[in-house]
Amino acid sequence: MCGICGIANADAGREVPAERLTRMRLAIAHRGPDGFGERRAAGVGLAHARLSIIDVAGGAQPLANEDEAVWITYNGEVYNYQPLMARLKQAGHRFRTASDSEVLVHLYEEQGPLFVRELNGMFAFALHDLRRNRVVLARDHFGIKPLFYAVRDGTLYFGSEIKAVLAGLGRGAETSPEAVREFLLFRSVTGERSFFSGVHRLPPGCVAVWEQGRLSIEQYWVPPVPHAMPAGSLDDAAEQLDQRLGASVRAQLMSEVPLGTFCSGGVDSGLTTLYASRAAQHRLHTFSVGFDDPAWDETALARDTAERVGSEHHVFLADARNFHDALSRLIWHHDEPLGQPNSILIALLSAYARERVTVVLTGEGSDEIFGGYPRHHIARANSVAGHFPAWLRGPAAGLLGSVGGRRGRLLGSHLPLPFAEAVVLNSSVLSPALVERLTGASTRDVIELRMAQAESLAVAGDPVASISRYDQRTYLPSLLDRMDRMTMAHGLEGRVPFLDPEIAEWAGTLPPRYRLGAWKNKRVVKRLAERYLSRGITHGPKSGFGVPVGDWLRTPGWADLVATLRDPNHPATTLVDGREARRLLDAHLAGQPGLGDALWLLLNLYLWKRLDFTAAAGAPAAALQLKSAS
């Protein structure tokens, strides 16, 4: 696990400035505390900051093939690298290291850029082919590892984090107003967009080729479309998941450094911890977050799993103060405003875990693949309602809105809508009307962008698969983004066994009822968990890893953050209406419920706008100095 960055000129005879490449590398030095490397040749510069996991002694990068015609800077882990290496050796390739990095350069020699289809793992890399004067960028199937790029004046700049790209450009970029609207609606931005105009994400499952000053992007993998298979019982499906998830965890235990799991007290992290404890060569370390407030604390559930598997369990106690103190620093690490308050918990827990381990396995991804969210039921109901006559949908929507609580109101309000629009709006955090009041601009362009994604991923007759595929391309990447940044801010590698492409492909063969029941979520996962975990975990309410931010905003310890939202001259008021933000804050402080999410998003936007992502590369403390309000 590492940080990568680089520069590629259209003209191979144009030299890459050494100091500029170094500045980019220093911007992401926190991602690789164990070493660094740089290489400049033929108009291309590659740089690497290393966190040593595999082949600690010999895997330094950038790394080349035998004749040094192909070079790579790589971030990630390829879990099936050993059989690929054996095959390549049989074909006559010579290896100088035992690292998975070297497999990639030889596999590229054999197959060209689309060799990534053979990889099972998490990765982002840049490969320089000197013979063809070509640079290849690629990202793993789900986007577990990040990669950003910008093209300016015939030069490609790329890096694991946006701040590396900005360091290469040598100046900041304007804020994207579309990104602000999308963030306020959905907590994150999707597709190629970032918060910085002209700086793009390489989407998950994509390969980009830079040749002759042009960048072409090809999608090599999308979330699988379900296909019919002979359906066994739910118990049969649970047995197959048992085998597949166990194999994925075992593969992801490869490491030459200490390893543990995040064990939050939920089903997904519990199963991951179970399989890891079975296969680990030493007693497993497990980690969870606790709160003094029992309404938010899940320590007892986490300890229950730890005791069942016999791990050495560690609990970090979080409170309003350490959360408050970390916020601005972690926004800097994230490059963009933090949509999820629990991002801070992941960072705090990562710093705590890093004292004992270098790698952790997590339960991320299960909800998106197996249907873990309440909104999945709403989308399914909307699909069914699409067959109702128009005269019936209106009264049904009104009835649900009046008697069904929050979820009923959501279902009722979206029941008359087309399926794609209902899917999109069901995943929104703030209402379009509120976002339009805050930004003074229509949200229709952002909603239509998401609707186009939902429509392109829809599966006829299968609303469960449709929303699962949509979540895997929109919501899941934002969760993986925060996992990467919050762990790598502390030199910790996070792995996600549920996001094995083979598990996703297999899940696509399951009947929809094995994911969602009448009112049950993730039925096959929970049926498997019944074998190994306590009933309180398998049948308790869904854990959201929640944080009482709304309550904290009313406390004296957060008064300075509240004051930030009151500043009429704050730079963020060029993006949102400061008067509307202050109105929301006043209503919240007066006790009006339901405004915590809006204030969290606004607070992050305000703090982000005052950070400097171009100065003090490699020195977060200096970069966190507030820019002037002028």
Side-chain angles (χ1 to χ4, degrees), residues 66 85 88-89 93-97 99 102-103 106:
E66 305 98 320
M85 181 183 288
L88 288 163
K89 286 180 176 179
H93 291 270
R94 299 191 309 276
F95 283 77
R96 291 177 289 185
T97 74
S99 71
E102 194 173 356
V103 168
H106 294 297

Side-chain angles (χ1 to χ4, degrees), residues 321 324 552-566 585 589 603:
R321 173 48 57 185
H324 165 282
W552 290 345
L553 280 168
R554 297 187 177 105
T555 64
W558 281 47
D560 58 331
L561 298 181
V562 169
T564 299
L565 290 171
R566 292 200 185 283
L585 176 62
L589 295 178
L603 177 60

Side-chain angles (χ1 to χ4, degrees), residues 390-406:
W391 63 267
L392 183 57
R393 288 200 296 270
L399 179 63
L400 285 166
S402 63
V403 302
R406 178 180 177 275

Side-chain angles (χ1 to χ4, degrees), residues 1 74-77 79 121-124 140 144-145 493-495:
M1 193 61 59
Y74 155 71
N75 169 31
E77 309 289 356
Y79 304 120
M122 54 180 187
F123 53 84
D140 63 69
I144 303 167
K145 292 292 100 188
E493 173 175 298
R495 298 179 181 176

Side-chain angles (χ1 to χ4, degrees), residues 1-2 34 48 50-61 63 74 76-82 85 97-103 122 250-259 358-359 493 495:
M1 193 61 59
C2 309
D34 297 331
H48 190 261
R50 189 183 188 201
L51 177 63
S52 302
I53 305 291
I54 302 296
D55 192 12
V56 172
Q61 297 181 45
L63 177 149
Y74 155 71
E77 309 289 356
V78 173
Y79 304 120
N80 63 335
Y81 82 98
Q82 290 178 327
M85 181 183 288
T97 74
S99 71
D100 55 340
S101 312
E102 194 173 356
V103 168
M122 54 180 187
R250 288 193 297 274
Q252 297 194 26
L253 288 177
M254 68 176 196
S255 174
E256 295 178 14
V257 294
L259 180 148
T358 310
V359 177
E493 173 175 298
R495 298 179 181 176

Side-chain angles (χ1 to χ4, degrees), residues 300-324:
L301 293 175
R303 287 194 185 280
D304 180 280
T305 296
E307 289 171 2
R308 283 173 178 263
V309 305
S311 67
E312 184 175 343
H313 193 61
H314 312 274
V315 179
F316 177 82
L317 288 177
D319 58 31
R321 173 48 57 185
N322 51 38
F323 194 103
H324 165 282

Side-chain angles (χ1 to χ4, degrees), residues 8 44 108 112-113 127-136 208-212:
V44 174
Y108 169 80
L127 183 150
H128 183 200
D129 182 340
L130 277 81
R131 294 192 187 95
R132 296 173 177 83
N133 191 26
R134 168 197 287 172
V135 171
V136 177
V209 176
W210 172 259
E211 288 182 295
Q212 299 178 347

Side-chain angles (χ1 to χ4, degrees), residues 4-338:
I4 67 170
C5 59
I7 302 170
N9 294 316
D11 179 3
R14 183 181 169 197
E15 186 176 358
V16 170
E19 66 176 29
R20 180 165 293 198
L21 184 63
T22 298
R23 187 165 67 241
M24 294 177 70
R25 177 181 60 76
L26 289 175
I28 53 173
H30 54 274
R31 297 183 66 93
D34 297 331
F36 67 89
E38 296 180 7
R39 172 181 166 79
R40 295 179 301 123
V44 174
L46 303 179
H48 190 261
R50 189 183 188 201
L51 177 63
S52 302
I53 305 291
I54 302 296
D55 192 12
V56 172
Q61 297 181 45
L63 177 149
N65 64 338
E66 305 98 320
D67 62 5
E68 299 192 345
V70 180
W71 287 80
I72 194 170
T73 181
Y74 155 71
N75 169 31
E77 309 289 356
V78 173
Y79 304 120
N80 63 335
Y81 82 98
Q82 290 178 327
L84 291 173
M85 181 183 288
R87 194 181 80 197
L88 288 163
K89 286 180 176 179
Q90 283 187 337
H93 291 270
R94 299 191 309 276
F95 283 77
R96 291 177 289 185
T97 74
S99 71
D100 55 340
S101 312
E102 194 173 356
V103 168
L104 274 59
V105 294
H106 294 297
L107 203 55
Y108 169 80
E109 288 182 282
E110 290 279 322
Q111 301 181 16
L114 291 179
F115 78 89
V116 292
R117 290 172 172 164
E118 290 216 46
L119 305 181
N120 185 334
M122 54 180 187
F123 53 84
F125 64 79
L127 183 150
H128 183 200
D129 182 340
L130 277 81
R131 294 192 187 95
R132 296 173 177 83
N133 191 26
R134 168 197 287 172
V135 171
V136 177
L137 309 179
R139 202 167 168 214
D140 63 69
H141 303 66
F142 292 97
I144 303 167
K145 292 292 100 188
L147 191 56
F148 297 87
Y149 69 90
V151 177
R152 184 173 292 176
D153 300 329
T155 299
L156 171 70
Y157 302 88
F158 56 88
S160 296
E161 298 181 12
I162 294 172
K163 59 180 68 68
V165 177
L166 296 177
L169 294 172
R171 59 184 185 272
E174 295 297 319
T175 303
S176 164
E178 296 84 5
V180 171
R181 295 197 297 276
E182 188 176 5
F183 172 74
L184 291 174
L185 272 172
F186 302 106
R187 294 192 192 273
S188 64
V189 295
T190 189
E192 295 187 15
R193 180 180 288 157
S194 83
F195 254 75
F196 297 84
S197 295
V199 180
H200 309 282
R201 284 176 168 80
L202 183 65
C206 282
V207 170
V209 176
W210 172 259
E211 288 182 295
Q212 299 178 347
R214 298 178 61 185
L215 189 71
S216 59
I217 299 176
E218 182 173 353
Q219 187 99 42
Y220 70 85
W221 191 86
V222 294
V225 175
H227 55 280
M229 292 284 285
S233 67
L234 181 59
D235 285 327
D236 292 335
E239 179 62 32
Q240 292 186 51
L241 179 58
D242 195 1
Q243 300 302 315
R244 293 173 183 275
L245 185 57
S248 178
V249 170
R250 288 193 297 274
Q252 297 194 26
L253 288 177
M254 68 176 196
S255 174
E256 295 178 14
V257 294
L259 180 148
T261 71
F262 283 171
C263 181
S264 66
V267 169
D268 307 322
S269 67
L271 286 172
T272 299
T273 296
L274 168 85
Y275 295 115
S277 67
R278 288 177 173 178
Q281 295 182 351
H282 305 285
R283 189 182 182 195
L284 189 70
H285 288 277
T286 53
F287 304 90
S288 67
V289 172
F291 288 99
D292 289 335
D293 186 345
W296 297 92
D297 187 58
E298 296 180 348
T299 301
L301 293 175
R303 287 194 185 280
D304 180 280
T305 296
E307 289 171 2
R308 283 173 178 263
V309 305
S311 67
E312 184 175 343
H313 193 61
H314 312 274
V315 179
F316 177 82
L317 288 177
D319 58 31
R321 173 48 57 185
N322 51 38
F323 194 103
H324 165 282
D325 292 347
L327 183 52
S328 289
R329 176 176 62 85
L330 294 173
I331 294 173
W332 183 86
H333 276 290
H334 196 250
D335 288 329
E336 299 177 306
L338 290 167

